[in-house]
Amino acid sequence: MWVSSFQHPNRLLFVCSKSLPSRLGSQFACYHVTASLWHSKDRSSFKPEGKRARRESDGGQDLERSVQSTAEGKRARRESDGRQDRERSVQSKAEGKRARRESDGRQDRERSVQSKAWKNEIPILQRPDQRRRDDRRVSPELRKLCLEDFHPDRERPLRQKTALDSKSEDCEVVFGISPCLLALTQGRRKAKKLFVKDGEAFHRESVIKVCEEAHKRGVQVHRVSRKDLDKMSAGRVHQGVCLQASPLSYLTETRDSAPRGKPSTPPLWLVLEKIQDPMNLGAILRSAYFLGVDRVVSSLHHSCPLSPVVSKASSGVMEVMELYGCDNLEETLRSKATQGWEVVGTVGAEAEQSQVSVTKCSDFQMTRPTLLLMGGEGEGLSKELLSLCQTLLTIPAGRDLFPGVESLNVSVAAGILLHTLLFSRSSSR
């Protein structure tokens, strides 16, 4: 056996030869070793640490891939959850819109039914559960009213014209709690229908009282919307109640005109000439009633009528107090003067000089039956009535006045003068 070597730039070759029997021939084995394994400086790469480093490197790559896959999974889950949340949000919004549309649809149907019922005079029915809740808040009288006037089985004849078509029936609409209540209780008007605002206003104590009075007198009660009441009252403050009734007018002087005051006190009548503002007239009536005036007389020409506006401004006093109209105030004043009545006129502080002296109202003493005259807005008493006055009263100002504001509103002046005269009457007893 022999060995031979051959050098190569990168390899070292060994050739071994072994003699074998001749019948088998000679065989050669050739082995080669790379130079990196032969030289001592490259033997470190042949150590086990290289494999371990490769394994650790492979393990680090696996860990990084695992972390990366985990992060991608979390990101995918977050995106999936976000899509689900958006879908749920969209679904909830859609359901909310659907619920609001259904609620608006119910309200529109209820308003439509209510409007049709009001136009055709059909009673508006409540749901059973709503009636049970409302019954706890109303009086027995109103509960009976609801059962009788708003019974679902009760049939009423349908009419083609609306409930407010009152021109042919010579009716007007009184509005406000006090005017409607006093119009019902005093019986001076012929009440026909009571309209009440549907909703919470129907359960107020003051409104319930008006409904009970209407029920006692057989007046139909209808629930209507606020818009309908605004139309009835021409946009004025109706407080949720309107009453369709016959109008009021001035009374004529047909009774005995003798003084109607108490025997121990002289009577006081308030005479109004050409009061055209219904708000002023209502305020005057309220003060006169409160302070105890025995009678109010007004000129019929160039004076405002006794309208629902006057009744509301007087807080219903117009429904209680008797108001007399006179075609000729001059004749009435002359007649009263011959009977011993004192005719007292009113003027401003800067009134023109006249034959009758002007006295401060605080210095006047009422000792006999008296007629107190109040003139209209702006012009005051006419010259014809001033010529019949035995005394002229004025309200002194408490300061120097600028031009244009040297007088008082007629309703305010009436309240001050009436209080002064009636106080002097009581103190003279």
Side-chain angles (χ1 to χ4, degrees), residues 31 33 63 98 140 151 154 261 320 350 416 427:
Y31 301 91
V33 180
L63 181 60
R98 189 182 305 109
H151 197 278
R154 183 175 180 178
V320 179
E350 301 297 331
I416 295 173
S427 60

Side-chain angles (χ1 to χ4, degrees), residues 1-4 6 14-20 24-31:
M1 178 181 180
W2 54 270
V3 178
S4 178
F6 302 93
F14 296 90
V15 179
C16 302
S17 176
K18 182 179 179 181
S19 300
L20 297 174
L24 299 175
S26 298
Q27 295 182 354
F28 297 93
C30 182
Y31 301 91

Side-chain angles (χ1 to χ4, degrees), residues 335-387:
S335 174
K336 292 297 180 183
T338 57
Q339 297 176 10
W341 288 60
E342 185 174 6
V343 181
V344 178
T346 55
V347 294
E350 301 297 331
E352 298 179 357
Q353 296 294 331
S354 62
Q355 297 179 354
V356 181
S357 61
V358 179
T359 307
K360 294 181 179 179
C361 62
S362 57
D363 298 335
F364 180 78
Q365 189 73 25
M366 180 178 168
T367 57
R368 56 177 176 160
T370 303
L371 298 171
L372 178 64
L373 278 61
M374 299 292 299
E377 300 88 351
E379 298 180 359
L381 290 174
S382 62
K383 294 182 180 180
E384 292 78 11
L385 295 189
L386 284 174
S387 62

Side-chain angles (χ1 to χ4, degrees), residues 294-312:
D294 297 284
R295 179 177 294 189
V296 178
V297 181
S298 175
S299 60
L300 293 179
H301 299 290
H302 305 289
S303 298
C304 67
L306 300 181
S307 64
V309 179
V310 177
S311 182
K312 183 64 172 65

Side-chain angles (χ1 to χ4, degrees), residues 10 40 60 73 117-118 120 157 186 194 220 240 257 266 326 336 348 357 366 370 378 380 403:
N10 294 325
S40 60
W118 172 75
N120 296 323
Q186 295 302 309
L194 179 67
Q220 297 178 4
S257 59
C326 185
K336 292 297 180 183
S357 61
M366 180 178 168
T370 303

Side-chain angles (χ1 to χ4, degrees), residues 122-231:
I122 300 176
I124 300 173
L125 307 179
Q126 292 178 313
R127 295 187 298 274
D129 56 343
Q130 185 178 357
R131 285 200 298 270
R132 286 194 296 270
R133 290 195 303 269
D134 293 345
D135 287 346
R136 303 190 192 101
R137 304 173 58 185
V138 300
S139 63
E141 291 286 345
L142 185 58
R143 190 178 301 112
K144 183 179 179 182
L145 169 67
C146 296
L147 293 176
E148 292 182 359
D149 286 357
F150 303 133
H151 197 278
D153 296 332
R154 183 175 180 178
E155 296 181 358
R156 292 184 179 179
L158 300 180
R159 299 167 59 187
Q160 296 297 327
K161 60 182 178 180
T162 63
L164 289 181
D165 189 9
S166 58
K167 295 182 179 180
S168 61
E169 301 177 4
D170 192 20
C171 292
E172 63 183 10
V173 177
V174 182
F175 55 92
I177 297 293
S178 295
C180 291
L181 179 62
L182 293 174
L184 289 168
T185 56
Q186 295 302 309
R188 297 175 61 192
R189 296 178 183 265
K190 184 179 179 181
K192 296 188 176 182
K193 297 174 186 178
L194 179 67
F195 301 95
V196 182
K197 178 184 174 184
D198 194 15
E200 295 181 0
F202 189 78
H203 304 292
R204 293 203 309 264
E205 183 178 355
S206 57
V207 177
I208 290 175
K209 188 174 182 180
V210 176
C211 293
E212 290 176 348
E213 292 295 336
H215 178 62
K216 290 179 183 178
R217 289 158 180 79
V219 179
Q220 297 178 4
V221 180
H222 299 267
R223 297 189 187 186
V224 296
S225 64
R226 179 179 178 179
K227 185 177 180 180
D228 295 330
L229 293 178
D230 291 340
K231 291 181 180 179

